[in-house]
Amino acid sequence: MAARCTRLSARNTDALLTSLILPVMLMLVFVYFFGGAIDTGTRYVTYVVPGVLVLCAGYGAAATAVGVAGDMAEGVVDRFRSLDVGGTSFLAGHVAASAARNAAATGVVLAVALAIGFRPEAGAAGWAAAAGVLAAYVLALSWLSAAVGLLAKSTEAASGFTFLVLFLPYPSSAFVLVDTMPGWLHGFAGNQPVTPVIESLRGLLLGQPVGGALWQALAWCAGILAVSVAASGMLFRRRTA
């Protein structure tokens, strides 16, 4: 199932290129168009890259919803069930393909970031921890996307989830300091799941103290993952009953 979903992703050239190019274009826009006007206390490219990595991960993981919805609408799942392929294998294949897409996209973003001046100071342990946090976020969001794909009645409806995931990093610490936002937005920006993930990546990659952000990020990822896996199993049984 993982190999099948990975091949399907590779054959969908338009979606694959978008998932690779869009995060890079957004990073370049923020660094070169807005970076000179935004004061973050450090070089803006250094500040913004962790947020772009999370944006990239979210976009790649959200595509899982479209893939699952497409399989459900086309009836291929009925064929899989006749071959005794269970729902767990089917959904896990989509999640594994999401991880592969995100690994490729993250590599592209990091390569371009290094080319335009991003200079991380993390050691081997810091890089490993950052990769673990990002992988946990991708895993949790991919399973949530799988649940959304099972809820959606069409691929068009499932694609709406992508816009929600792309929006979340904006009211967070991804591109500007939370303190610069209006007071009524502070509560949401500081306590939504994306912010601790970004702060964890920023601290780990730049060799700075992470504080409680790391545990908050892992707690959010674990909670989303647990709920999403349970919901996906229930929704798959209901859709295929």
Side-chain angles (χ1 to χ4, degrees):
M1 290 296 101
R4 168 187 175 269
C5 293
T6 303
R7 287 194 299 270
L8 289 175
S9 296
R11 291 169 183 169
N12 191 349
T13 308
D14 293 343
L16 183 62
L17 288 177
T18 300
S19 67
L20 294 175
I21 294 174
L22 180 61
V24 171
M25 294 301 297
L26 287 174
M27 179 172 62
L28 295 176
V29 165
F30 273 94
V31 170
Y32 291 114
F33 291 5
F34 307 131
I38 300 176
D39 182 14
T40 60
T42 184
R43 293 186 64 204
Y44 190 67
V45 64
T46 301
Y47 181 86
V48 80
V49 167
V52 174
L53 290 175
V54 171
L55 181 71
C56 173
Y59 184 81
T64 305
V66 178
V68 171
D71 279 348
M72 298 301 295
E74 292 169 4
V76 69
V77 176
D78 293 332
R79 176 65 181 273
F80 290 151
R81 294 188 69 212
S82 70
L83 298 173
D84 200 25
V85 176
T88 301
S89 299
F90 166 70
L91 296 173
H94 279 282
V95 172
S98 172
R101 288 194 304 269
N102 275 289
T106 299
V108 172
V109 169
L110 280 175
V112 175
L114 292 170
I116 64 175
F118 179 58
R119 295 295 179 264
E121 300 180 11
W127 277 104
V133 171
L134 196 60
Y137 180 70
V138 169
L139 182 63
L141 204 57
S142 296
W143 275 103
L144 178 60
S145 298
V148 171
L150 290 168
L151 276 173
K153 301 301 183 183
S154 65
T155 56
E156 290 77 11
S159 65
F161 182 66
T162 304
F163 294 101
L164 173 63
V165 173
L166 282 175
F167 170 77
L168 273 181
Y170 290 95
S172 74
S173 62
F175 303 110
V176 297
L177 298 171
V178 172
D179 291 341
T180 64
M181 298 178 183
W184 57 268
L185 191 55
H186 283 186
F188 177 77
N191 296 285
Q192 60 139 315
V194 171
T195 295
V197 174
I198 292 171
E199 291 301 315
S200 298
L201 291 177
R202 186 171 286 132
L204 291 168
L205 291 177
L206 300 181
Q208 299 173 352
V210 179
L214 178 59
W215 304 113
Q216 293 175 25
L218 293 177
W220 270 110
C221 291
I224 294 171
L225 178 62
V227 172
S228 299
V229 170
S232 295
M234 180 187 67
L235 289 168
F236 185 83
R237 289 191 295 271
R238 180 178 297 178
R239 286 288 301 270
T240 57

